[in-house]
Coordinates of all heavy atoms in Angstrom, one line a residue:
M1 N -10.8 114.6 122.1 CA -11.1 114.4 123.6 C -12.2 113.4 123.7 O -13.1 113.4 122.8 CB -11.5 115.8 124.2 CG -10.4 116.8 124.4 SD -9.1 116.3 125.4 CE -9.9 116.5 127.0
S2 N -12.2 112.7 124.7 CA -13.2 111.6 124.9 C -13.5 111.6 126.4 O -12.8 111.8 127.2 CB -12.6 110.2 124.5 OG -13.5 109.3 124.9
N3 N -14.8 111.3 126.6 CA -15.3 111.2 128.0 C -15.1 109.7 128.5 O -15.4 109.4 129.7 CB -16.7 111.6 128.1 CG -16.9 113.1 128.0 OD1 -16.0 113.8 128.4 ND2 -17.9 113.5 127.4
K4 N -14.7 108.8 127.6 CA -14.6 107.5 128.1 C -13.4 107.4 129.1 O -12.4 108.0 128.9 CB -14.3 106.5 126.9 CG -15.5 106.3 126.1 CD -15.2 105.2 125.0 CE -16.5 105.0 124.2 NZ -16.2 104.0 123.1
P5 N -13.6 106.5 130.1 CA -12.5 106.4 131.0 C -11.3 105.5 130.4 O -11.5 104.8 129.5 CB -13.1 105.5 132.2 CG -14.3 104.8 131.5 CD -14.7 105.7 130.4
A6 N -10.1 105.8 130.9 CA -9.0 105.1 130.4 C -9.1 103.6 130.7 O -9.6 103.3 131.7 CB -7.7 105.7 131.0
R7 N -8.6 102.8 129.8 CA -8.7 101.3 130.0 C -7.7 100.9 131.1 O -7.9 99.9 131.8 CB -8.4 100.6 128.7 CG -9.6 100.6 127.8 CD -9.2 99.9 126.5 NE -10.3 99.9 125.5 CZ -11.3 99.0 125.5 NH1 -11.3 98.1 126.4 NH2 -12.3 99.2 124.7
T8 N -6.6 101.6 131.2 CA -5.6 101.2 132.1 C -5.0 102.4 132.8 O -5.0 103.5 132.3 CB -4.4 100.4 131.5 OG1 -3.8 101.3 130.6 CG2 -4.9 99.1 130.8
L9 N -4.6 102.3 134.0 CA -3.9 103.3 134.8 C -2.7 102.7 135.4 O -2.7 101.5 135.6 CB -4.8 103.9 135.9 CG -6.1 104.6 135.5 CD1 -6.9 104.9 136.7 CD2 -5.7 105.9 134.8
S10 N -1.7 103.5 135.7 CA -0.5 103.1 136.4 C -0.3 103.7 137.8 O -0.5 104.9 137.8 CB 0.7 103.3 135.5 OG 0.7 102.5 134.4
F11 N 0.0 102.9 138.7 CA 0.3 103.4 140.0 C 1.5 102.6 140.6 O 1.8 101.5 140.1 CB -0.9 103.1 141.0 CG -2.0 104.0 140.8 CD1 -3.1 103.7 140.0 CD2 -2.1 105.3 141.4 CE1 -4.2 104.5 139.8 CE2 -3.2 106.1 141.2 CZ -4.2 105.8 140.3
K12 N 2.2 103.3 141.6 CA 3.3 102.6 142.2 C 2.7 101.7 143.3 O 1.8 102.1 144.1 CB 4.2 103.6 142.8 CG 5.2 104.1 141.8 CD 6.3 104.9 142.5 CE 7.3 105.4 141.3 NZ 8.3 106.3 142.0
C13 N 3.2 100.5 143.4 CA 2.8 99.6 144.5 C 3.1 100.3 145.8 O 4.2 100.8 146.0 CB 3.5 98.3 144.3 SG 3.2 97.1 145.7
A14 N 2.2 100.1 146.8 CA 2.4 100.7 148.1 C 3.5 99.9 148.9 O 4.0 100.4 149.8 CB 1.1 100.6 148.9
K15 N 3.7 98.6 148.5 CA 4.6 97.8 149.2 C 6.1 97.9 148.6 O 7.0 98.0 149.4 CB 4.2 96.3 149.3 CG 3.1 96.1 150.3 CD 2.9 94.6 150.5 CE 1.9 94.3 151.7 NZ 1.7 92.9 151.8
C16 N 6.2 97.7 147.3 CA 7.5 97.5 146.8 C 7.8 98.7 145.8 O 8.9 98.7 145.3 CB 7.6 96.2 146.1 SG 6.6 96.0 144.6
T17 N 6.9 99.6 145.6 CA 7.1 100.8 144.8 C 7.3 100.5 143.3 O 7.6 101.4 142.6 CB 8.2 101.7 145.3 OG1 9.5 101.1 145.0 CG2 8.1 102.0 146.8
K18 N 7.1 99.2 142.9 CA 7.2 99.0 141.5 C 5.9 99.4 140.8 O 4.8 99.5 141.5 CB 7.3 97.4 141.3 CG 8.7 96.9 141.5 CD 8.8 95.5 141.3 CE 10.2 95.0 141.7 NZ 10.3 93.5 141.7
P19 N 5.9 99.8 139.5 CA 4.7 100.2 138.9 C 3.7 99.0 138.7 O 4.1 97.9 138.3 CB 5.2 100.7 137.5 CG 6.5 100.1 137.3 CD 7.1 99.8 138.7
V20 N 2.4 99.3 139.0 CA 1.4 98.4 138.8 C 0.4 98.9 137.8 O 0.0 100.0 137.8 CB 0.7 98.2 140.1 CG1 -0.4 97.0 140.0 CG2 1.6 97.8 141.3
T21 N 0.0 98.1 136.8 CA -1.0 98.5 135.9 C -2.3 98.0 136.3 O -2.6 96.9 136.6 CB -0.7 97.8 134.5 OG1 0.6 98.2 134.1 CG2 -1.7 98.2 133.5
L22 N -3.3 99.0 136.4 CA -4.6 98.8 136.9 C -5.5 98.7 135.6 O -5.4 99.6 134.8 CB -5.1 99.8 137.8 CG -4.7 99.7 139.3 CD1 -3.2 99.8 139.4 CD2 -5.4 100.7 140.1
Y23 N -6.4 97.7 135.6 CA -7.3 97.6 134.4 C -8.7 98.0 134.8 O -9.1 97.7 135.9 CB -7.3 96.2 133.9 CG -5.9 95.8 133.4 CD1 -5.0 95.2 134.2 CD2 -5.6 96.0 132.0 CE1 -3.7 94.8 133.7 CE2 -4.3 95.7 131.5 CZ -3.4 95.1 132.4 OH -2.2 94.8 131.9
L24 N -9.4 98.7 133.9 CA -10.8 99.0 134.1 C -11.5 97.8 134.3 O -11.6 96.9 133.4 CB -11.2 99.9 132.9 CG -12.7 100.3 133.0 CD1 -12.9 101.3 134.2 CD2 -13.1 101.1 131.7
Q25 N -12.4 97.7 135.3 CA -13.2 96.6 135.6 C -14.6 96.9 135.0 O -15.1 98.0 135.1 CB -13.3 96.4 137.1 CG -12.0 96.3 137.8 CD -11.3 95.0 137.4 OE1 -11.7 93.9 137.7 NE2 -10.2 95.2 136.8
K26 N -15.2 95.8 134.5 CA -16.6 95.9 134.0 C -17.5 95.5 135.1 O -17.7 94.3 135.4 CB -16.7 95.0 132.8 CG -16.0 95.4 131.6 CD -16.2 94.5 130.4 CE -15.4 95.0 129.2 NZ -15.5 94.0 128.1
V27 N -18.1 96.5 135.7 CA -19.0 96.3 136.8 C -20.3 96.9 136.5 O -20.4 98.1 136.3 CB -18.4 96.9 138.2 CG1 -19.5 96.7 139.3 CG2 -17.1 96.3 138.6
S28 N -21.3 96.1 136.4 CA -22.6 96.5 135.9 C -23.5 97.0 137.1 O -24.5 97.7 136.9 CB -23.3 95.5 135.1 OG -23.5 94.3 136.0
A29 N -23.0 96.7 138.3 CA -23.9 97.0 139.5 C -23.9 98.4 139.8 O -24.9 98.9 140.4 CB -23.3 96.2 140.7
C30 N -22.9 99.2 139.4 CA -22.9 100.6 139.7 C -22.4 101.4 138.5 O -21.4 101.1 138.0 CB -22.0 100.8 140.9 SG -21.8 102.6 141.3
S31 N -23.2 102.4 138.2 CA -22.8 103.2 137.0 C -22.2 104.5 137.5 O -21.8 105.3 136.6 CB -24.0 103.5 136.2 OG -25.0 104.2 136.9
H32 N -22.0 104.7 138.8 CA -21.5 106.0 139.3 C -19.9 106.0 139.3 O -19.4 107.0 139.4 CB -21.9 106.1 140.8 CG -23.4 106.4 140.9 ND1 -24.3 105.4 140.9 CD2 -24.1 107.6 140.9 CE1 -25.5 106.0 141.0 NE2 -25.4 107.3 141.0
I33 N -19.3 104.8 139.3 CA -17.9 104.8 139.3 C -17.3 103.9 138.2 O -18.0 103.0 137.7 CB -17.4 104.3 140.7 CG1 -17.8 102.9 140.9 CG2 -17.8 105.2 141.8 CD1 -17.1 102.2 142.1
Q34 N -16.0 104.1 137.9 CA -15.3 103.2 137.0 C -14.2 102.7 137.9 O -13.2 103.3 138.1 CB -14.7 104.0 135.9 CG -15.8 104.5 134.8 CD -16.4 105.8 135.3 OE1 -15.7 106.7 135.7 NE2 -17.7 105.8 135.2
P35 N -14.4 101.4 138.3 CA -13.3 100.8 139.2 C -12.2 100.2 138.4 O -12.4 99.7 137.3 CB -14.2 99.7 139.9 CG -15.2 99.4 138.9 CD -15.6 100.6 138.2
Y36 N -11.1 100.3 139.0 CA -9.9 99.8 138.4 C -9.2 98.8 139.4 O -9.3 99.0 140.6 CB -8.8 100.8 138.1 CG -9.2 101.8 137.0 CD1 -10.1 102.9 137.2 CD2 -8.8 101.6 135.7 CE1 -10.4 103.7 136.3 CE2 -9.1 102.5 134.6 CZ -10.0 103.5 134.9 OH -10.4 104.4 134.0
Q37 N -8.6 97.8 138.9 CA -7.9 96.8 139.8 C -6.7 96.3 139.1 O -6.7 96.0 137.9 CB -8.9 95.7 140.1 CG -8.3 94.7 141.0 CD -9.2 93.5 141.4 OE1 -10.4 93.7 141.4 NE2 -8.7 92.4 141.7
G38 N -5.6 96.2 139.9 CA -4.4 95.6 139.4 C -3.7 94.8 140.5 O -3.9 95.1 141.7
I39 N -2.9 93.9 140.1 CA -2.1 93.1 141.1 C -0.6 93.3 140.8 O -0.2 92.9 139.7 CB -2.5 91.6 141.1 CG1 -4.0 91.5 141.3 CG2 -1.8 90.8 142.1 CD1 -4.6 90.1 141.2
C40 N 0.1 93.7 141.8 CA 1.6 93.8 141.7 C 2.2 92.4 141.6 O 1.6 91.4 142.1 CB 2.1 94.6 142.8 SG 3.9 94.8 142.8
K41 N 3.4 92.4 141.1 CA 4.2 91.1 141.1 C 4.5 90.6 142.5 O 4.7 89.4 142.7 CB 5.5 91.3 140.3 CG 5.2 91.3 138.8 CD 6.5 91.7 138.1 CE 6.2 91.8 136.6 NZ 7.3 92.4 135.8
C42 N 4.4 91.5 143.4 CA 4.7 91.1 144.8 C 3.5 90.6 145.5 O 3.5 90.0 146.6 CB 5.3 92.2 145.7 SG 4.0 93.5 146.1
G43 N 2.3 90.6 144.8 CA 1.1 90.1 145.3 C 0.1 91.1 145.9 O -1.0 90.8 146.2
E44 N 0.5 92.3 146.0 CA -0.3 93.4 146.6 C -1.3 93.8 145.6 O -1.0 94.1 144.4 CB 0.6 94.6 147.0 CG -0.2 95.7 147.6 CD -0.5 95.4 149.0 OE1 -0.2 94.3 149.5 OE2 -1.1 96.4 149.7
V45 N -2.6 93.8 145.9 CA -3.7 94.2 145.1 C -3.9 95.7 145.2 O -3.9 96.2 146.3 CB -5.0 93.5 145.4 CG1 -6.1 93.9 144.4 CG2 -4.7 91.9 145.3
R46 N -4.0 96.4 144.1 CA -4.2 97.8 144.1 C -5.5 98.2 143.5 O -5.9 97.7 142.4 CB -3.0 98.5 143.3 CG -3.1 100.0 143.3 CD -2.7 100.6 144.6 NE -3.2 102.0 144.7 CZ -2.3 103.0 144.7 NH1 -1.0 102.9 144.8 NH2 -2.8 104.3 144.8
Y47 N -6.3 99.0 144.2 CA -7.6 99.4 143.7 C -7.6 100.9 143.5 O -7.0 101.7 144.2 CB -8.7 99.1 144.7 CG -8.9 97.6 145.0 CD1 -8.4 97.0 146.1 CD2 -9.7 96.9 144.1 CE1 -8.6 95.6 146.3 CE2 -9.9 95.5 144.3 CZ -9.3 94.9 145.4 OH -9.6 93.6 145.6
H48 N -8.4 101.3 142.5 CA -8.6 102.7 142.3 C -10.0 102.8 141.6 O -10.5 101.8 141.0 CB -7.5 103.2 141.4 CG -7.6 104.8 141.1 ND1 -7.2 105.7 142.1 CD2 -8.1 105.4 140.1 CE1 -7.5 106.9 141.6 NE2 -8.0 106.8 140.4
A49 N -10.5 104.0 141.7 CA -11.8 104.2 141.0 C -12.0 105.7 140.7 O -11.4 106.5 141.4 CB -13.0 103.7 141.9
T50 N -12.6 106.0 139.6 CA -12.9 107.4 139.3 C -14.5 107.5 139.2 O -15.1 106.6 139.0 CB -12.3 107.8 138.0 OG1 -12.8 106.9 136.9 CG2 -10.8 107.7 138.1
G51 N -14.9 108.7 139.4 CA -16.4 108.9 139.3 C -17.0 109.7 140.4 O -16.3 110.5 141.1
D52 N -18.1 109.3 140.8 CA -18.9 109.9 141.9 C -18.1 109.8 143.2 O -17.7 108.7 143.6 CB -20.2 109.3 142.1 CG -21.0 109.9 143.2 OD1 -21.7 110.9 142.9 OD2 -20.9 109.4 144.3
K53 N -17.8 111.0 143.8 CA -16.9 111.0 145.0 C -17.3 110.1 146.1 O -16.5 109.3 146.7 CB -16.8 112.5 145.5 CG -15.7 112.7 146.5 CD -15.7 114.2 146.9 CE -15.3 114.3 148.4 NZ -15.8 115.5 149.0
D54 N -18.5 110.1 146.5 CA -19.0 109.2 147.6 C -19.0 107.8 147.2 O -18.6 106.9 148.0 CB -20.5 109.7 148.0 CG -20.5 111.0 148.7 OD1 -19.4 111.5 149.2 OD2 -21.5 111.6 148.7
A55 N -19.4 107.5 146.0 CA -19.4 106.1 145.6 C -18.0 105.6 145.5 O -17.7 104.4 145.9 CB -20.1 106.0 144.2
V56 N -17.0 106.4 145.0 CA -15.6 106.0 145.0 C -15.1 105.7 146.4 O -14.4 104.7 146.6 CB -14.7 107.1 144.3 CG1 -13.3 106.8 144.5 CG2 -15.1 107.2 142.8
A57 N -15.4 106.6 147.3 CA -15.0 106.4 148.7 C -15.5 105.1 149.3 O -14.8 104.4 150.0 CB -15.4 107.6 149.6
S58 N -16.8 104.8 149.1 CA -17.3 103.6 149.6 C -16.7 102.4 148.9 O -16.5 101.3 149.5 CB -18.8 103.6 149.5 OG -19.3 103.5 148.2
F59 N -16.4 102.5 147.6 CA -15.8 101.4 146.9 C -14.4 101.1 147.5 O -14.1 100.0 147.8 CB -15.7 101.7 145.4 CG -14.9 100.7 144.7 CD1 -15.4 99.5 144.3 CD2 -13.6 101.1 144.3 CE1 -14.5 98.5 143.7 CE2 -12.9 100.2 143.6 CZ -13.3 98.9 143.3
L60 N -13.7 102.1 147.6 CA -12.2 102.0 148.1 C -12.3 101.5 149.6 O -11.3 100.9 150.0 CB -11.5 103.3 147.9 CG -11.3 103.7 146.5 CD1 -10.5 105.0 146.4 CD2 -10.5 102.6 145.7
A61 N -13.3 101.8 150.3 CA -13.3 101.4 151.7 C -13.6 99.9 151.8 O -13.1 99.2 152.7 CB -14.4 102.1 152.4
N62 N -14.2 99.3 150.8 CA -14.4 97.9 150.8 C -14.6 97.4 149.4 O -15.7 97.2 148.8 CB -15.7 97.6 151.6 CG -16.0 96.1 151.7 OD1 -15.1 95.3 151.4 ND2 -17.2 95.7 151.9
P63 N -13.4 97.3 148.6 CA -13.5 97.0 147.2 C -13.7 95.5 146.9 O -13.7 95.2 145.8 CB -12.1 97.5 146.7 CG -11.2 97.3 147.9 CD -12.1 97.6 149.1
H64 N -13.7 94.7 147.9 CA -13.7 93.3 147.7 C -15.1 92.8 147.3 O -16.1 93.5 147.3 CB -13.2 92.6 149.0 CG -11.8 93.1 149.4 ND1 -10.7 92.8 148.7 CD2 -11.5 93.9 150.4 CE1 -9.7 93.4 149.3 NE2 -10.1 94.1 150.3
E65 N -15.1 91.5 147.1 CA -16.4 90.9 146.7 C -17.4 91.1 147.8 O -17.1 91.0 148.9 CB -16.2 89.4 146.5 CG -17.3 88.8 145.7 CD -17.0 87.4 145.3 OE1 -15.8 87.0 145.5 OE2 -17.8 86.7 144.9
G66 N -18.6 91.4 147.3 CA -19.6 91.7 148.3 C -19.9 93.2 148.5 O -20.9 93.6 149.1
W67 N -19.1 94.0 147.9 CA -19.3 95.4 147.9 C -20.6 95.7 147.1 O -20.8 95.1 146.0 CB -18.2 96.2 147.2 CG -18.5 97.7 147.1 CD1 -18.4 98.5 148.1 CD2 -18.9 98.4 146.0 NE1 -18.7 99.8 147.7 CE2 -19.0 99.7 146.4 CE3 -19.2 98.0 144.7 CZ2 -19.5 100.7 145.5 CZ3 -19.5 99.0 143.8 CH2 -19.7 100.3 144.2
S68 N -21.5 96.5 147.7 CA -22.7 96.8 147.0 C -22.9 98.3 147.0 O -22.3 99.0 147.9 CB -23.9 96.1 147.6 OG -24.0 96.4 148.9
H69 N -23.8 98.7 146.2 CA -24.0 100.2 146.1 C -25.0 100.7 147.1 O -26.1 100.2 147.2 CB -24.6 100.4 144.7 CG -24.5 101.8 144.2 ND1 -25.5 102.4 143.6 CD2 -23.5 102.7 144.3 CE1 -25.1 103.7 143.2 NE2 -23.9 103.8 143.7
H70 N -24.6 101.7 147.9 CA -25.5 102.2 148.9 C -25.6 103.7 148.6 O -24.7 104.5 148.6 CB -24.9 102.1 150.3 CG -24.5 100.7 150.6 ND1 -25.4 99.7 150.8 CD2 -23.3 100.2 150.8 CE1 -24.7 98.6 151.1 NE2 -23.4 98.8 151.0
H71 N -26.9 104.1 148.5 CA -27.1 105.5 148.4 C -28.5 105.8 149.1 O -29.4 105.2 148.6 CB -27.3 106.1 147.0 CG -26.0 106.4 146.4 ND1 -25.4 107.6 146.5 CD2 -25.3 105.7 145.5 CE1 -24.2 107.6 145.8 NE2 -24.2 106.5 145.2
Ligands
ZN1 ZN1 4.5 95.4 144.9

């Protein structure tokens, strides 16, 4: 068993339902979450994050560039 987050996750695209591979992002700005990002072949960007519940919620509410950590 390991506490390290998975390097990749798979989700279905919200638009075309094809599987999308999300890759763990290296984000040094926040240690509370492990953000994942993947782009479907149809162009839809899929975000996901694991970790601190509130930080994940704020990340997913605005996962784009400029997101910063608020506590
Ligand atoms: Zn898609």
